[in-house]
Structures are given as C-alpha cells and as structure tokens.
Amino acid sequence: MVLSRRPNRVASLRCIMMLLAGVIANLQLQLMLAVQPSSGEGEVTLPRQNPDDWVMFSKDTAYFRECVKHFKMNHTWGKIHAPFVDKVEAKEIVKRARVTGLDVIPTLALLDKKNISQYSLELMKSLKQPYIIKSTHMSGGVARVFNNRYHCFKYCDYGTSEMPLGAKAFEVSKSQFTMDIGLDYSRNGGELQYRYIKPQVIFEEDIRSRTATDVTFWWVSGGHPVFVSQQCEQPAGNKQGFQMKRVFLSTDYVRLPIVFNRGVCGDAPPKPASWERQFQIARALGKLFPDETVRVDLYDGKDGKVFFSEFTFTTAGCWRTFSPTLADGLLWALAHHELPPAVASPTYIQRVLADRSWVLLSLDEEGFLIRNASSGHPSPVDMCSTLESFGSDNKSKQRLFDKCISNARDVKGSALRCLVYRGTDQDMISFGVDRA
C-alpha cells in the first residue's frame, strides 16, 4: 500500500531530522536521545540495539494496569497485603527486619472502638508535641498538633483551619476520627487490603522539624529500587508535602523524564546526604517483596537519620499512570522477572526512558507532516497510544493501537524505528533505519 508519492528515503530523513530537533529541544534536561550527531561530515550515527533491552509491546505489561485488573477487588491479595499497609503493623514488620540505619517513628498512643471513650482534651495536651493523628486503616483525616495548636491538613471532613488546642479542636478531632474509625475505606475504590486492617487511630511523633524534605517515594520492583520521587518545591504557608511538586530521579540521582500526578519543578533539589543509605534501606525492604512492586516511603532526617513512613502498593488507587507509560512497564517487567535487576542499572533506566527511537510520523492527505501528531517515543506502547486519538470510538481506537503494535514488532531490531500513518485511510507502514 502506497501512503505517499514521496519515497521512503524522504520519510527516513524526516524521521531522523525530527529526532535531531528533539535533541536540541531537550538539551536543557540533558536527556540522552536516540539520535546524536556523529563526527563524520554529513552522517548521522544511530545507536545499536542492546539485546538485553526489554521492549513494551502491551498495555497489560504495566504495574498500574495489573493493579486495577488483579489487585483491586481481590480479597486474597487484600488479606495478604493488609499487615504491610496497616500503619501500626507495618512498623513492627520493619522493626523485625532489622535494617541497618533505619529508624521507625515512635508511636505515642493508640485508640480503637473499645477505648475511644478515653479520648479527651487532657489526653491531647498530655502527649509530647509535635505529633500526628491519623487512622491506621485508610488514607486521609491526618492532623498535626504543634505549639498547642491543632491543624487537620489532609482530606479532612470537618475543615482544615488551624486553631488553638482547646475544646473546639478536641471536638473537631474527635468527630473526624470517630467517623474515620467506623469507615470501611475499601468501599471507596476497591482497595481491599484496607478491609482487613483493624480500625485504629494512631498518635505518633511529628518528625517534620527533623526532616530536610517531605517523604521520599522509592519505587521498588522485584526487590530492586528502580526510580525515586522526591519533593522539589519549597514549603509555603500551610501547603503540605502531598500538595507540592515532585521530581523523578534515578537511584544515582539523575533527573528522569517521568511525570505522575503532580507538577514538576525546573530543577531537582540538592542530593540528600543520606541518599546512598536510603538506597540500601529501600533495597533491603524490597527483599520482603521479591515478586511485586511496592512504594517504600522514607524521610531524610536532618540529623542523619532515615525514618520509615509506610509501604504503598496501590498508589493513587491505581487510577493514574506514569508518563511515559514505559516507566510503568519497567516496574511490571522487574516484578515479573522479564527484566533482570542486573540489567536495570541507573544508566539503563535513564537511557530507555529518555530514548525517542520509536517515531510516529502522521501525514495529511497531501503527504505532509502533521507536527502535533508526530514525535519520538521510548516504547511502542507510548507511540501507538498516540494513534488512538485518530479513532472515533473505542473499537476503532483499539484497532489502530493493535495495528500499530503489529507494525512496531516488525522493526524491533532496528536502531531507529519509524511508523508512518496516513489519517485519510488510516493506513500505516513501518520501517527501520540503521544508517543514513
């Protein structure tokens, strides 16, 4: 099938020139793209394929997709993972692991349905400040008591105003956790691990004044730390850590082109002094989950300590995903042992996520490039998902995606993989380029 009167050689040159433009556009991010100028005059040298590269050809080979399809609404999975998500039991599990250099945030008090009557303003005032109040079996309703003031700051049902630690603060606090303690959080989004946790309210030391940044998220898969999400925005006013921008980094502290559910900063924060120790801790805790993906949340202490926060298996309820999708795929591949940890080095993760050698060229009826629908991508799934926008309904979107993936498989072995799509008849061809 002929897509254009222009020969493939012209399309190849377009493909290469577009990637070269991508290199210039991304210099400020210092990303390694797939095509770089060579020393030879008039030549472009394309990278060689690494035989150990894992290629993402299916949307199902993704951590968040697997979470939605197999983890949520799964009672068996929920029962197994409940102890690790329980904010009380998780601390005990970590203590028993005896990980060198890791501290556990001290618990000051616990309340449940049986002893809730003991809760009083006197109890609130008797606990050493600052401290945090939160439920052990859900996410939200988190409050902070400091300098004889009360502030509920995360998903609060009775307001987020800061107030003196008095009768009103006590009533607001009691109303919040009385409601929370009777709530079956698993009904909100099918995260059944929360159904098998004893509802309690935990009072624990607030270590915010002892930490340099908000909690750092270590994404660990197959027992191997893969990448990290760290707060990069400075606190302002009453803005809390979970509301601030974050940046993704490789485990050797190189910025990665990953975006999740928050905005991103222009610059990464300075590398914490405890970074290497955090890496060793994340790896040690990851051994508890050799066949899974888990988010290990750690705090970097100003006094050189590293504090454990919690384990998370269903980040954001698994309703979101990474951009690029390949980041999601790498987690899946490591958990399923399709990508060996020895291969998934920091350099490898940087290279494959910054790669743009899967190139989609969309042409109009005259054979000219549709620029806003033509770009390089790090994986066939990222590339072919772009084509779905040309479908009129779910069936046609899936047909376009499947056809694109089939074409992509044909050129897997090439250094530069180009797919040319013509929207007038929804036809496409693919070809590989190894030297131009």
Side-chain angles (χ1 to χ4, degrees):
M1 180 71 67
V2 177
L3 295 179
S4 170
R5 295 177 181 176
R6 293 166 175 77
N8 280 354
R9 179 176 177 79
V10 175
S12 300
L13 290 174
R14 281 184 175 177
C15 191
I16 294 166
M17 291 305 295
M18 184 175 62
L19 280 182
L20 286 174
V23 174
I24 297 171
N26 289 282
L27 275 179
Q28 61 183 9
L29 299 180
Q30 296 182 0
L31 302 178
M32 295 192 319
L33 298 187
V35 179
Q36 299 177 1
S38 72
S39 57
E41 184 178 353
E43 291 187 330
V44 171
T45 302
L46 302 177
R48 294 185 180 275
Q49 281 294 103
N50 186 333
D52 292 324
D53 281 359
W54 179 79
V55 181
M56 189 179 189
F57 283 112
S58 170
K59 290 182 180 179
D60 288 332
T61 58
Y63 155 68
F64 282 116
R65 177 66 70 95
E66 183 179 38
C67 174
V68 171
K69 296 179 71 172
H70 300 292
F71 301 160
K72 298 178 69 172
M73 301 303 298
N74 183 330
H75 286 272
T76 301
W77 187 92
K79 288 179 182 178
I80 292 172
H81 291 80
F84 299 99
V85 180
D86 184 329
K87 292 178 176 61
V88 174
E89 184 59 30
K91 289 185 179 184
E92 299 305 314
I93 292 171
V94 169
K95 287 178 183 177
R96 291 194 293 269
R98 299 181 181 277
V99 178
T100 302
L102 179 61
D103 283 81
V104 175
I105 300 172
T107 298
L108 305 178
L110 276 173
L111 293 177
D112 58 25
K113 293 180 180 179
K114 293 180 179 180
N115 62 6
I116 191 173
S117 61
Q118 298 177 14
Y119 189 53
S120 64
L121 178 57
E122 288 68 29
L123 174 62
M124 293 181 75
K125 289 183 175 180
S126 69
L127 297 176
K128 183 180 178 181
Q129 299 181 28
Y131 61 85
I132 294 291
I133 310 173
K134 60 184 178 181
S135 297
T136 63
H137 62 295
M138 59 177 287
S139 175
V142 184
R144 174 177 289 114
V145 175
F146 61 102
N147 297 332
N148 287 316
R149 299 188 67 79
Y150 172 86
H151 180 210
C152 189
F153 63 88
K154 184 177 180 181
Y155 309 140
C156 306
D157 294 276
Y158 296 90
T160 57
S161 298
E162 186 181 312
M163 63 187 73
L165 185 58
K168 183 180 179 181
F170 167 69
E171 291 300 329
V172 169
S173 173
K174 186 174 181 179
S175 297
Q176 180 68 54
F177 81 67
T178 299
M179 183 186 68
D180 291 345
I181 210 167
L183 180 68
D184 181 358
Y185 188 68
S186 69
R187 293 181 180 274
N188 291 356
E191 299 171 82
L192 294 186
Q193 65 270 34
Y194 294 107
R195 181 170 297 183
Y196 300 99
I197 299 174
K198 178 184 177 181
Q200 298 183 92
V201 175
I202 184 173
F203 299 74
E204 66 180 20
E205 180 185 338
D206 180 7
I207 62 170
R208 183 175 62 163
S209 63
R210 299 170 59 187
T211 59
T213 65
D214 190 59
V215 63
T216 300
F217 301 149
W218 287 79
W219 291 85
V220 182
S221 196
H224 181 69
V226 187
F227 45 72
V228 188
S229 169
Q230 186 171 5
Q231 177 188 313
C232 55
E233 182 180 2
Q234 291 299 314
N238 284 329
K239 197 171 186 180
Q240 304 300 314
F242 75 99
Q243 300 169 315
M244 296 182 191
K245 296 178 180 179
R246 304 187 72 89
V247 63
F248 279 85
L249 302 155
S250 63
T251 57
D252 62 353
Y253 217 80
V254 174
R255 183 167 182 170
L256 298 174
I258 301 176
V259 177
F260 191 49
N261 61 332
R262 295 178 177 86
V264 296
C265 302
D267 298 305
K271 183 178 180 180
S274 67
W275 188 259
E276 182 58 31
R277 186 158 71 256
Q278 288 191 52
F279 171 80
Q280 297 299 337
I281 289 169
R283 184 165 62 179
L285 292 176
K287 291 180 181 178
L288 298 171
F289 315 100
D291 306 310
E292 299 189 67
T293 296
V294 61
R295 203 187 74 202
V296 178
D297 298 354
L298 303 175
Y299 283 101
D300 169 38
K302 294 178 181 177
D303 53 3
K305 291 185 176 181
V306 175
F307 294 92
F308 170 76
S309 176
E310 59 186 77
F311 295 117
T312 303
F313 298 90
T314 52
T315 295
C318 295
W319 293 121
R320 300 178 183 271
T321 188
F322 297 111
S323 176
T325 308
L326 178 61
D328 202 347
L330 292 172
L331 296 176
W332 183 95
L334 281 158
H336 288 263
H337 308 291
E338 292 196 7
L339 176 62
V343 172
S345 66
T347 301
Y348 174 91
I349 299 298
Q350 296 161 29
R351 178 174 63 82
V352 297
L353 287 174
D355 173 51
R356 295 296 181 268
S357 64
W358 296 91
V359 180
L360 171 66
L361 297 176
S362 301
L363 306 180
D364 61 20
E365 62 274 10
E366 298 296 326
F368 290 101
L369 197 68
I370 305 174
R371 294 189 177 276
N372 61 359
S374 302
S375 58
H377 303 272
S379 79
V381 167
D382 284 289
M383 175 179 71
C384 296
S385 294
T386 304
L387 271 184
E388 291 180 318
S389 62
F390 291 98
S392 57
D393 52 35
N394 289 338
K395 187 175 181 180
S396 61
K397 291 176 188 291
Q398 187 63 50
R399 184 169 60 249
L400 283 170
F401 179 84
D402 292 342
K403 188 172 183 179
C404 175
I405 289 293
S406 177
N407 277 266
R409 289 183 184 276
D410 293 339
V411 293
K412 174 187 175 184
S414 296
L416 182 64
R417 288 69 64 101
C418 290
L419 186 139
V420 184
Y421 169 77
R422 190 172 68 182
T424 51
D425 51 13
Q426 292 194 342
D427 204 355
M428 63 187 79
I429 61 169
S430 58
F431 58 90
V433 179
D434 292 292
R435 189 175 183 82

